[in-house]
Amino acid sequence: MNEENEWGLRPLTPSETDRLRELAEAVGEDLGQFGLTLYNREAPDWETAAGGLEIEVDAFDDAAGGIWLHWTVHPALRRASLEAHQSGRPNDSVIRAAGHVHERMASAILSMLKALGYVAENSNDDYRPFAIKVLSGPR
């Protein structure tokens, strides 16, 4: 079994991590059939990229581990939302608009996954609002 890190988290074994990464890749390919563009936070242009589906692989053996899908909005909306939040305007219409987009895209992504035979659920993780957790691939 893998050793815990300084935060008390135990990483998955290499074979479990490989299985998760393969499933994440399949999710990206399958959702691409519906026209969703993948968003890569590690790409050089991530701050200006138009947004899209971000796939996160959390390779730790805890309740938050697994595959998480996030919808990333256009950078103009991201910047406007952040500026409103930092300026102390939590009820600004741009924040509400971004929240509506995230909520509706999470619902759409979950519907697409279910149509493809995946088992997935809405996030109940406070650190991943509006995310979708993929539990397993098509049966």
Side-chain angles (χ1 to χ4, degrees):
M1 192 165 237
N2 293 341
E3 303 250 345
E4 289 183 4
N5 66 17
E6 64 264 27
W7 299 287
L9 297 174
R10 187 179 316 279
L12 295 174
T13 65
S15 65
E16 292 169 322
T17 300
D18 288 344
R19 183 192 59 78
L20 267 187
R21 291 190 193 289
E22 288 172 10
L23 181 56
E25 188 175 319
V27 166
E29 289 174 8
D30 287 344
L31 289 177
Q33 294 177 24
F34 286 104
L36 297 183
T37 303
L38 293 182
Y39 175 81
N40 183 355
R41 194 174 296 270
E42 300 192 14
D45 66 342
W46 74 272
E47 289 182 331
T48 58
L53 179 68
E54 182 177 5
I55 301 175
E56 173 193 2
V57 175
D58 185 330
F60 288 96
D61 187 15
D62 66 348
I67 299 170
W68 294 92
L69 308 180
H70 309 268
W71 186 255
T72 302
V73 297
H74 190 277
L77 183 53
R78 287 195 308 262
R79 283 190 300 273
S81 297
L82 182 60
E83 190 271 316
H85 177 72
Q86 290 174 336
S87 296
R89 301 187 324 264
N91 296 318
D92 193 295
S93 62
V94 72
I95 292 176
R96 284 194 307 277
H100 288 299
V101 169
H102 285 290
E103 184 178 79
R104 296 209 175 37
M105 286 306 300
S107 177
I109 291 166
L110 187 58
S111 294
M112 291 176 212
L113 288 169
K114 288 183 178 187
L116 290 164
Y118 286 86
V119 177
E121 63 186 16
N122 285 307
S123 172
N124 61 0
D125 185 329
D126 291 341
Y127 294 102
R128 294 178 172 104
F130 306 114
I132 300 297
K133 186 171 187 178
V134 177
L135 303 174
S136 67
R139 298 177 196 253

